[in-house]
Amino acid sequence: MKLGIVGLPNVGKSTLFNSLTKAGAESANYPFCTIDPNIGVVAVPDERLKLLGDFSHSKKVTPAVIEFVDIAGLVKGASKGEGLGNQFLANIREVDAIVHVVRCFEDSNVIHVDGSIDPMRDIETINLELIFADLEVLERRISKVARTAKMDKAAGKEYEFLKRIKEHLEAGEMAITLEPANEDEEALFASYNLLTAKPVIYAANVSEDDLADDGASNSYVQKVREFAASQGSEIFVICAQIEQEIAELDDDEKKMFLEDLGLQESGLEKLIKASYHLLGLMSYLTTGEDETRAWTIKIGTKAPQAAGKIHSDFERGFIKAEVINYRDLLDCGSNAKAKEKGLVRMEGKEYVVQDGDVILFRFNV
């Protein structure tokens, strides 16, 4: 999974990226300090892995990972060449979802590029830049399809669909809120890879004082929450400055630090939950002496396709999947006891893999 972090200059975007990845993207109080996209790979925290790794005496434990791309600060007019121009666009096109950092804190020491704090204006600024970039893509496609639209039925249908998307964007709406009418339109829609069709997670960056009640008393956060709900987007509240402090601590210190702040989980954990939920993802597990590992798949994936995540041969030669819930396996104390109790099931090609399944695939190529 690849997430692109966007936001206007000085909203806390690079501070958040630093804390998430400890990758040390330069964070400074002026625009465009992140000129090239910084990339950081982060392990997905999953306590099940350690428990299973200990259970199997695994030589190594491999978590699922998320790749974060810190994309240079956007400004009004970026799609027309303002600021850093639209060199960021290619980087955003490659991501599965966008993490949009929105400033919801007052601080006279940190200059806002527009001179005042207004998260809804900031969201609109970035969304308009993404809309303008998508309109350019659509206009190029429309001029190409228009040549054959009168003679070719399929091209004619695509032409009408393109015009519908264009009108939707020109009304200031994001492409993700447009409903394709049928499977053909869905396939076309996916092929355009529009920026405004990507799912969005809003990161409401607040001061430390607003963290404990999850931004409930922050009027800026409330506005972002309402907007996110109207778009079918996720939102989580974060204090990027605190996250940067947490990033320097080991696990035990981190736990104590969060407890002192009255928090259950770090911003990274909140973000991962939000992204898994937004993208409809989950993890199944494999375990043995060599390795215990988490594999990220779409919710609703059937056993052969889940096996294909490990190796294409597993999917091609799929016979059966030996399945047990990780908790049942740990409670039994051994695989043999779990089998005695009938908790290990043999599942076929139609089995839909569940979150927390521990699976051994049987295959023959």
Side-chain angles (χ1 to χ4, degrees), residues 128-147:
L128 280 173
E129 292 311 313
L130 300 181
I131 285 171
F132 292 147
D134 279 350
L135 283 169
E136 277 187 33
V137 169
L138 289 172
E139 278 158 10
R140 283 199 299 272
R141 183 70 192 164
I142 285 168
S143 66
K144 190 177 177 184
V145 172
R147 294 175 207 147

Side-chain angles (χ1 to χ4, degrees), residues 172-305:
E173 299 292 336
M174 306 294 272
I176 199 165
T177 61
L178 180 118
E179 287 284 328
N182 51 48
E183 284 183 9
D184 289 345
E185 284 192 356
E186 273 177 23
L188 285 168
F189 191 63
S191 74
Y192 303 144
N193 196 19
L194 298 173
L195 301 177
T196 60
K198 291 188 182 295
V200 179
I201 303 163
Y202 290 98
N205 190 13
V206 300
S207 66
E208 184 182 334
D209 296 343
D210 287 329
L211 261 188
D213 70 352
D214 205 35
S217 54
N218 183 314
S219 60
Y220 297 137
V221 173
Q222 295 318 309
K223 286 176 183 169
V224 178
R225 276 209 171 102
E226 286 164 22
F227 180 75
S230 75
Q231 300 288 301
S233 298
E234 293 277 332
I235 175 176
F236 71 105
V237 174
I238 196 165
C239 174
Q241 207 61 52
I242 291 289
E243 287 302 312
Q244 199 161 32
E245 290 175 38
I246 291 171
E248 304 304 319
L249 306 175
D250 64 32
D251 287 348
D252 289 341
E253 290 173 323
K254 196 178 290 184
K255 199 176 174 191
M256 284 167 61
F257 189 80
L258 288 170
E259 280 171 6
D260 288 346
L261 290 170
L263 301 175
Q264 300 292 314
E265 55 192 356
S266 70
L268 175 61
E269 288 164 320
K270 283 187 192 174
L271 173 51
I272 287 169
K273 273 187 188 168
S275 54
Y276 268 61
H277 184 251
L278 188 69
L279 296 169
L281 300 174
M282 58 171 228
S283 296
Y284 76 88
L285 312 152
T286 54
T287 190
E289 277 188 26
D290 285 338
E291 183 182 39
T292 291
R293 184 163 180 166
W295 304 87
T296 302
I297 55 171
K298 283 260 185 199
I299 291 168
T301 300
K302 291 184 178 177
Q305 289 69 49

Side-chain angles (χ1 to χ4, degrees), residues 90-128:
N91 301 314
I92 304 182
R93 288 205 193 280
E94 291 169 10
V95 303
D96 299 304
I98 293 170
V99 180
H100 187 159
V101 184
V102 188
R103 179 169 167 180
C104 297
F105 66 91
E106 301 274 2
D107 185 344
S108 57
N109 296 316
V110 182
I111 308 144
H112 189 288
V113 74
D114 285 330
S116 62
I117 309 304
D118 183 346
M120 295 316 300
R121 178 200 59 211
D122 295 355
I123 287 171
E124 186 182 2
T125 297
I126 284 199
N127 284 354
L128 280 173

